[in-house]
Amino acid sequence: MGIEEKLPSGVLLSTVEKVAGWARARSVWPATFGLACCAIEMMQTGGPRHDMARFGMEKTGSTPREADLMIVAGRVSQKMAPVLRQIYDQMPEPKWVISMGVCASSGGMFNNYAIVQGVDHIVPVDIYLPGCPPRPEMLFDAILKLHDKIMNMKLGPDRDRQITELEQARLTMLPLRVTAGVDHLGSEL
């Protein structure tokens, strides 16, 4: 028999972390950083058909000091990389980044000296969104996954401990090895 049975109906029990996470996840203000064709799909999410305002994102930050989410849509050139980093540095903590499209995530088909081969070389990325270009529905899915991540974040010293544990887990991960079908390559060469 817990306290839940003794309380009258309509009483909500939660923790400060859960309430703060819920509030933060529903008040994310994006700083859109559209650089190529993915930006057109990103702009569509603010239109009446998709309506980003349903997720508490009706205010796009006109200045990085008002934004806490950066959506990098499209390829990032070497000349644009310092500008991207400067905008990221001006955003207040906590801040998140979505890499939208294959060009932002890995350079895409542009494997040359002028294009950064992945925006994660410049800023830390929270969500990678594949596609060329990804549909607005895919961006919404990435935003909802980010909301989930924000809601489950710890606060204070627990957050520092959680970040340390995640970093340690990533450092101990073994690299991915693809071995299926390798022994058949010798007969085809």
Side-chain angles (χ1 to χ4, degrees):
M1 224 168 167
I3 193 169
E4 294 86 14
E5 287 99 20
K6 303 247 187 239
L7 291 172
S9 64
V11 173
L12 181 70
L13 296 176
S14 185
T15 63
V16 173
E17 277 184 346
K18 293 285 185 187
V19 172
W22 182 86
R24 278 194 297 163
R26 277 142 184 86
S27 63
V28 175
W29 290 354
T32 55
F33 203 83
L35 298 168
C37 44
C38 290
I40 303 299
E41 299 292 327
M42 180 180 60
M43 288 177 220
Q44 247 185 333
T45 60
R49 183 172 183 178
H50 299 288
D51 193 19
M52 225 169 23
R54 292 180 292 164
F55 303 102
M57 300 175 70
E58 62 269 358
K59 180 172 184 332
T60 56
S62 55
T63 173
R65 290 171 185 88
E66 296 176 350
D68 49 7
L69 167 65
M70 177 185 279
I71 303 173
V72 182
R75 59 188 179 269
V76 180
S77 66
Q78 295 287 349
K79 284 187 172 185
M80 190 56 74
V83 176
L84 179 79
R85 183 63 199 202
Q86 181 181 14
I87 290 173
Y88 177 80
D89 289 339
Q90 290 176 354
M91 292 169 57
E93 288 287 340
K95 51 190 167 188
W96 300 279
V97 176
I98 293 178
S99 175
M100 182 177 177
V102 70
C103 291
S105 298
S106 65
M109 64 188 106
F110 305 101
N111 190 10
N112 61 33
Y113 66 92
I115 303 298
V116 175
Q117 300 300 307
V119 75
D120 55 352
H121 292 287
I122 305 162
V123 294
V125 176
D126 295 293
I127 305 271
Y128 292 94
L129 180 58
C132 182
R135 300 271 312 136
E137 294 85 5
M138 295 172 69
L139 179 58
F140 277 132
D141 184 55
I143 289 170
L144 290 175
K145 287 179 181 168
L146 183 66
H147 283 186
D148 216 25
K149 184 176 182 177
I150 294 169
M151 283 177 55
N152 295 319
M153 283 178 66
K154 302 284 184 190
L155 295 177
D158 291 335
R159 181 171 182 217
D160 296 335
R161 189 174 0 192
Q162 182 186 29
I163 291 171
T164 306
E165 288 171 0
L166 288 171
E167 286 176 353
Q168 290 301 320
R170 288 184 186 136
L171 288 174
T172 58
M173 283 177 34
L174 296 175
L176 178 66
R177 290 189 181 190
V178 180
T179 57
V182 173
D183 48 335
H184 299 293
L185 290 178
S187 62
E188 294 175 9
L189 296 176

